Each structure stands twice: as C-alpha cells, then as structure tokens.
Amino acid sequence: MDVRVANVRKEFDRFPALRDVSLDIKSGELIALLGPSGSGKTTLLRLIAGLERPTRGTIYFGDEDASNKTIQERNVGFVFQHYALFRHMTVADNIGFGLKVRPSNKRPTKAEIRARASELLDLVQLSGLEKRYPAQLSGGQRQRVALARAMAIEPRVLLLDEPFGALDAQVRRELRRWLREIHDATGHTTVFVTHDQEEALELADRVVVMSQGRIEQVGTADEVYDHPNSPFVYGFIGESSSLPVKIEDGQVWIADRPIGLSTPNVPNGEATLYFRPHHVELLDECNGCIAGTVAASRRVAGTRRVELEIGGGRERVEIELPVGHPATQKSRVTFRPNRWKVFPKVVE
Amino acid sequence: MADPELYPADQLHEHASLATSESPASRLLLMAIAFAFLGIFLVVPLVVVFEQAFAKGIGAFLEAIREPDTISAIKLTLLVAAISVPLNLVFGIAAAWAIAKFEFRGKAFLITLIDLPFSVSPVISGLVYVLLFGATSLLGPWLKMHGIVILFAVPGIVLATIFVTFPFVARELIPLMQEQGTGDEEAALSLGANGWQTFWHVTLPNIKWGLFYGVLLCNARAMGEFGAVSVVSGHIRGQTNTMPLHVEILYNEYNAVGAFAVASVLAGLALVTLVLKTLLEMRYGAEIAATRGH
C-alpha cells in the first residue's frame, strides 16, 4: 500500500509538532523516521496510524484520502514503544485479539483464530509460548509478540514506534536483522521510528531525517550519509567536524588565508565547513591547508582520533589519523579535507 | 574486588538489607506497638460488640434479630446499598476514565469535587438535602404538587448515601488508570476493536481489582453511614430506619442486647467483606500484582 503524506501540519495546543511535512512511501518499502526527541517523528507515525488527526494537510492510503478515517478503518498494524500487550491475556489471545473483535460476519472461527496465532508465533520464532502471559516473557519476546499481534489483522501498513528502544544492545542487533528478514518475507509496507542512526541506516530502505517538526532529508543510507543536504543532517548522521570559514570568490578561507578548497556555487560571506573526521588527507607542505596543534588524542579501535586547535585555540576539530602517526601533544598537523561541504551561514 | 557471583543470592540480599534494617529489639518494639494499638482500638471493641450481643444467650440474640423493626432495618440497609453501590460503580468508572484518560479544562476542579464528600461532615451532606427537598425549599412545593416524596423516605436515604459514598470507587481507580495510561486502549483500537469492546476486553480487566476494592469500601460505607442518613431519614421505625440508626434507637432505649445484636450483624457484614477480600487476594495474588505493576 502506497502511503502519501501531503503538506501535513499538526499542532498541540497551538504548538506546532509538525510543520508542513510531505512524504511519499512506496508499497513494500521499509522506511525509518530518524530524528532527535522533539523532532516530530512519533507524531508523524501516529498521524499515519490515525491515532492523531492532522491540523492541516492530507494523508492518502493508495488513492483514497484517509485523513478523516479512524484507526480501525485504516487497518494499520501498530507496534507500541512499550508493546502495550494485554497483561491479562495469554500470548495466543493477544495475537488473536484483532480477529476476535471483528464483526461476526467477518470473524474467523475460534479454531481458525488459534491456528492463525500459532502460525504467526512460528513466524516470530516463539512457537510453544501460546499459553504464557506477557509478564512471563523477556523484553525481546514481548516485542515479537507485539509484532505478531499487529500482523494478525493483515494490516495495509505496519507502523513501529521505537521498536527496539527498550531492549539491550545484543537483543537489539538480533531483532534488527530479524525484522529485516520478516519484512522481506512478508512484504508489508513498514514505517518505524527511531532515534538511533545506526538502526535506521542499517535497517531501512530509505531514511527520513527529521528535526524540529520538519523533514530535513529523505534518502537511502548512502545518500544521507555521503551527501547530507543540511548542517543538521551532517551533524546528526555520523560524526562530523565543523569550522567557521569565509567564502571569497569561490575560495574557502580560514582567518586570513585560503585553505585550498574551492566552492564556486557558494556566495561570498560567512559560512561553515563540514567534513567527516576520516575524510582528511595529511599534508607535509602547507600551501593552502588547515593547520592545527594537537590538543588531545585518543585511540578508537583501529584508528587514532586527534583533537586539533585551529587558529590559536579558538576552534577545535577532530580528525582521524592512522595509528602509526607520530602525533603527540603540541605537535603541529596540517591537513585538508578530501570530502567536505560548505553551507552558507543562515541569517536568522 | 569480590565477585558477587560467589555469594549465594540470599546472602547478598542479607548484606544489602543490613544498612536499612533495625536491631531485633527495636523491630520487636515497633511490632508490639502496632499490635497493641490495633488490639486496644479495634479488636477489643469488636469483641465487646459480640460479647454484649450474646450476653443473655443465643436465644435473646435471635429474638432481637427476629424483631420486625430490626428485619425491616436490615432490609432497608441492604436495599440502600444495592442501589447506591452500582450507581457509584458506574459514576466512579466514568469519572476516573475522564480524569485519567483525557485532558480537559476544569479537571483539577472535578477532582476536588470528587473529594468533597470526604472533607464535608456527613451531617452537612444530609442537611443539604433537607434544604434542597424540604417543605420550605424551592423544590419543596413542586415535589409536593407531584406527590414525590424524597425526604424522610427511602429516596432521601439513597441520595444521601450516594453522596457520602461516591468518592470511594473513583478515588481507587484514578491513580490506577493514570498509571496504566492509554497505551492498551490505543493498541486495542489499532487492532480494530470498537469503544465498547475496548472497554470490556481491555480496560475493565486492567482495573478489575482496583474496582473491586473500591466497591468493597463503598459498600461498607453505604451500609454503615450514619450522619447524613440520620438527618434525612426521619427515624420512622420499621420504615426509614437503617441498621446504624436502629442500633442508636435501641441503645437509647436501654435495650443493650437488641442494640448490640443489630450492631453485631452490621459488624458481621463488614467482616464478611473483609474475609472475602482476603480470600480473593490469596487466590489471585499473582494476577493482582501483574495488573498493578507491569
């Protein structure tokens, strides 16, 4: 099922949680809504589900306008952050609930519901736990039951709110891979919310990066990581260093000299240079480079991270050096980023 | 540093609890105080009630109970409880639902209103009804014209009882429902359940134990209420006397055995509810714990 969000705005008590958001989700896609808390990602998910109504704008399921349909009419599978399993029901009853509450002409028989529940338990690899209560399950198992319950109603779209948020790192990695497998096997259009970029980049076909109620960028993991389109995305996805620079005639200047980078499309004036710590090349001779003094260095796995003071200590950036590099305290390092981007300073 | 794995779990627990536990002597003292207090102020009076009731033998007790006015008082008390408890059950769920699950203006005010019967003396609650429905009140002539009798009759007693007992169910449910939030209801709706199915299959099972406690307390108070009922009842023997009022009348007539016999039946009803509650707690302890926490 294609889902289209068109110019949606959502206010809570006049406070805008989403400002004019548009997003196209293709049938069968696995989409991550990624952003810090307060970015509006959960609000967007709840709007798609029908748990909230948009203040303005339209949400389409396929060609039909679903904006004013209730959550029951939209037929979406929603997995809640804390699972919201029904405590007083067994695992099998939880999974069968969506079928049991159907109007009598569409309701499967008890035996059919039971069969469907164990089929889904097989799919989420929890066969044999039909009679357990949620309190008797581990966090990861509850998560799987919640997913099975959402899938039991044959939803048109599967929505997951921070699906791995409450789990420890090990279980989280396992479930991530498993969710991808389930998605590939069942082909549900799936949208999940996360604040964990690793999760989003690893799992999703496309990542929607959100900040302050707006969509900053939509793209594959490669696109948002390699070609961030805004300072926010540069800072939020992966690690990055930034330096205030000046642009003059397409040349990037730091303090009073050019650093050998040209950017013809950026207008003259103040700007900010962004680059990743590992996208640097060290230079022996400096005619056009960034020069800094080592302020601190630490070993991170297979590399060495060095913090440099630039321009007499006014600015600090981090770059990555090979482990063998003889950088020590106070030694001078000259480098130039080999992949970078300059964003003109936004006049507030 | 010692590996915590090396200690058996119970020993670890012992170590952890040392810092906050009292010495055996002070523990004993605290328990003694608690038991002595409860003994003097609760158990002894209760024993006295039963002792007095049977002071002249079981025959006198049965005779006192069989007295027509007493039987009518027992019937009236049960009738009042049977009307006011279900009404307050419905009202309590509705109020707790509104307060715990929605945001609206005047919520704090509603909570204060629910607490009102706790903070106002029951006598005043009764007087309010006299002022409202009495012969000289605004409503009085209209009621008289239509032949509706509220004061000094069963409707007045029921109204006063409802007023006094309405906080019990709501008060028990509000914190419980607030703690549980709306997640389960949203989940049920997302699975296609309608409002009624959601309430019946999800909300009600989640609150049933809190609801049960609330109903027990509400019932105990409904049967035992004296002040408010005393003002609106009119004390007509065999007609508008509830058990507590009847006890007072018999006592004032120096009929000790009669008074204590009725009192013992009233106390007996309270004990039955208490025993019932304890039995259910024992039987469903695990389930109660499960619905309270997560």
Side-chain angles (χ1 to χ4, degrees), chain A residues 51 62 243 278 299:
Chain A
L51 287 165
L243 273 173
H278 55 277
R299 174 75 185 258

Side-chain angles (χ1 to χ4, degrees), chain A residues 46 51 71-72 76 78 80 82-89 94 97-98 100-102 135 142 149-150 153, chain B residues 180 183-195 197-198 201-202 205-206 287 290-294:
Chain A
R46 291 173 64 89
L51 287 165
I71 183 165
Q72 292 102 325
V76 294
F78 201 102
F80 291 82
H82 300 291
Y83 321 133
L85 293 179
F86 307 130
R87 287 163 265 221
H88 58 283
M89 291 183 202
N94 262 286
F97 183 83
K100 196 181 92 178
V101 297
R102 282 191 183 168
R142 286 182 201 173
R149 184 177 70 174
I153 60 169
Chain B
Q180 288 177 348
D184 283 14
E185 279 78 14
E186 283 184 343
L189 294 176
S190 80
L191 292 168
N194 60 34
Q197 287 170 323
T198 301
H201 294 299
V202 175
N206 274 343
E287 203 185 315
T291 48
R292 290 251 150 168
H294 206 308

Side-chain angles (χ1 to χ4, degrees), chain A residues 252-309:
Chain A
V252 181
W253 290 57
I254 286 181
D256 51 357
R257 51 190 192 154
I259 56 171
L261 304 175
S262 63
T263 171
N265 296 326
V266 179
N268 285 354
E270 310 237 321
T272 311
L273 169 71
Y274 286 86
F275 58 93
R276 307 256 183 232
H278 55 277
H279 288 157
V280 295
E281 91 192 279
L282 293 175
L283 303 166
D284 295 329
E285 279 179 32
C286 183
N287 49 46
C289 70
I290 305 174
T293 327
V294 176
S297 88
R298 59 199 156 89
R299 174 75 185 258
V300 178
T303 62
R304 185 175 297 284
R305 280 296 173 83
V306 176
E307 210 173 296
L308 292 178
E309 286 182 347

Side-chain angles (χ1 to χ4, degrees), chain B residues 93 96-97 100-101 173-182 203 207:
Chain B
I93 292 175
W97 185 292
K101 315 241 166 178
L173 291 184
I174 289 167
L176 184 64
M177 288 174 105
Q178 269 173 338
E179 186 197 309
Q180 288 177 348
T182 49
T203 309
I207 61 168

Side-chain angles (χ1 to χ4, degrees), chain B residues 1 8 25 31 33 46 48 56-57 62 100 104 106 186 193 211 262 268 270 275-276 290:
Chain B
M1 217 184 75
M31 283 193 288
I33 290 175
L46 210 56
V48 168
K56 292 187 180 155
L62 286 177
F104 56 90
E186 283 184 343
L211 188 62
V262 180
V275 169
L276 200 69

